[in-house]
Amino acid sequence: MTFLLPATDGVADEVARRLPQARIARYEDGGHDLEEVDFYCMPYMGNGASVAMIAKMPRLRVLQSLSSGVDNILESVPEQVTLCNGSGLHHEEGTAELAVGLILASLRQLPRFALDQTRRRWQHVRTDSLDSKTVLLVGYGGMGKAIEERLVPFGARISRCSRTARDGVAPLSELPRLAADADILVVCIALAPDTCGLIGEEVHGALVVNVARGPIVDAVALVGQLTDGRLRAALDVTDIEPLPTDRPEWALPNVLITPHIGGDTFAFARRAPGFVADQAERHVTGQPLANIVKPAGQRP
């Protein structure tokens, strides 16, 4: 069997250590014989080229993503390939930490004070607090629950909506009503056809925090309201990544941008090599794989 693996964070080295008889190709080396690859672990935060390679692997049987969300690759997975994601590698926790950090940074105006620091300017300003703020979580899977756990100690009041309604979680049809009452709206739902453009002009006066996928928020509607001062935003993801330099979001004073860093933490990096090695061993020994998103024989 041939394994095509990223060298980053020691993933390829750990699989080589655990499976000394396996043929290991390192993604970063290039010049691979893709026709021989049985197991492909995509590089974390890979680009379109890493996805395009999938179609050139006729023997591929396992496609491993190191991300929790696989919406960007699902349509590229052949029917005979089992697709697994990186759930459990601290993505949800890391992204939840960032979501809370973005909220606090926005409320306490940390970008303003960071700019003042570069100018050696001491200017006292009263800022806001999370205490008693109503936070609407749009999406209530593992990430939404992790965000809630971290917000509650600050005194925030939590409301929830998701594609799957249940006790305490409203359906997405209730989003406009809940958004009208929210001080902070956190986008933490998976990207799917029914969530693309989900957040639009129905949101007014809130801080919109997106740590999910850029296209879930209608960028045109968002920019219009940001420009008019009707919204504030903290964005870890955008509808085009990297965000083009001519986009107005860069220059708006009520926008805080981070470059899709939510799940990329040292905690994730420590877990990734062992997880991929476990998956490789399962594949070699015929044991069930973990984190299966699409089984072999099922169309995407």
Side-chain angles (χ1 to χ4, degrees):
M1 292 184 180
T2 298
F3 294 81
L4 178 58
L5 310 168
T8 306
D9 297 320
V11 171
D13 287 346
E14 179 62 13
V15 175
R17 186 186 70 82
R18 297 260 293 268
L19 298 173
Q21 304 306 316
R23 292 190 297 274
I24 306 295
R26 287 165 172 77
Y27 178 87
E28 292 83 353
D29 291 345
H32 311 297
D33 184 0
L34 298 180
E35 293 189 356
E36 296 299 316
V37 175
D38 307 273
F39 184 112
Y40 174 31
C41 178
M42 301 181 65
Y44 185 55
M45 301 294 290
N47 55 24
S50 64
V51 178
M53 291 170 63
I54 298 170
K56 302 176 183 179
M57 302 178 184
R59 293 185 55 178
L60 185 65
R61 291 298 175 266
V62 177
L63 178 62
Q64 177 67 58
S65 171
L66 292 172
S67 299
S68 292
V70 293
D71 51 88
N72 61 321
I73 61 175
L74 192 57
E75 294 300 321
S76 300
V77 182
E79 184 176 351
Q80 78 278 5
V81 173
T82 297
L83 171 64
C84 304
N85 71 8
S87 179
L89 296 180
H90 205 263
H91 292 297
E92 290 82 2
E93 295 85 350
T95 303
E97 289 176 4
L98 180 66
V100 175
L102 290 173
I103 292 170
L104 291 172
S106 298
L107 292 178
R108 301 309 302 266
Q109 299 188 39
L110 296 189
R112 171 184 181 152
F113 296 123
L115 182 60
D116 282 349
Q117 180 179 345
T118 66
R119 297 172 175 172
R120 300 172 184 257
R121 181 172 63 185
W122 181 285
Q123 184 172 344
H124 182 93
V125 176
R126 178 172 289 166
T127 62
D128 213 336
S129 168
L130 251 174
D131 184 54
S132 300
K133 289 288 189 294
T134 298
V135 180
L136 171 59
L137 301 175
V138 182
Y140 199 64
M143 189 188 302
K145 293 174 184 176
I147 294 171
E148 178 173 356
E149 289 173 1
R150 287 157 176 79
L151 286 175
V152 168
F154 288 94
R157 297 183 299 228
I158 309 298
S159 59
R160 315 161 195 86
C161 68
S162 184
R163 285 186 294 179
T164 304
R166 49 205 185 274
D167 187 31
V169 183
L172 289 182
S173 59
E174 293 291 305
L175 175 60
R177 178 183 65 81
L178 294 170
D181 297 328
D183 301 301
I184 301 165
L185 184 151
V186 183
V187 183
C188 46
I189 196 169
L191 177 62
D194 61 340
T195 62
C196 188
L198 178 67
I199 308 300
E201 294 185 353
E202 70 277 3
V203 182
H204 300 285
L207 167 63
V208 175
V209 179
N210 191 358
V211 291
R213 288 289 187 268
I216 297 171
V217 176
D218 182 332
V220 174
L222 179 69
V223 167
Q225 296 193 68
L226 290 169
T227 302
D228 292 343
R230 288 179 287 164
L231 282 180
R232 290 173 294 159
L235 309 173
D236 185 48
V237 292
T238 55
D239 60 342
I240 300 175
E241 294 183 6
L243 186 66
T245 56
D246 60 351
R247 285 280 289 268
E249 292 97 319
W250 286 114
L252 291 171
N254 49 351
V255 180
L256 174 58
I257 297 172
T258 53
H260 202 153
I261 62 170
D264 193 5
T265 65
F266 290 112
F268 153 74
R270 288 192 296 270
R271 290 170 170 81
F275 172 73
V276 177
D278 287 345
Q279 290 286 76
E281 285 188 339
R282 291 185 183 106
H283 178 55
V284 168
T285 59
Q287 298 178 60
L289 295 165
N291 292 4
I292 293 177
V293 177
K294 184 202 80 69
Q298 183 181 98
R299 293 185 179 278

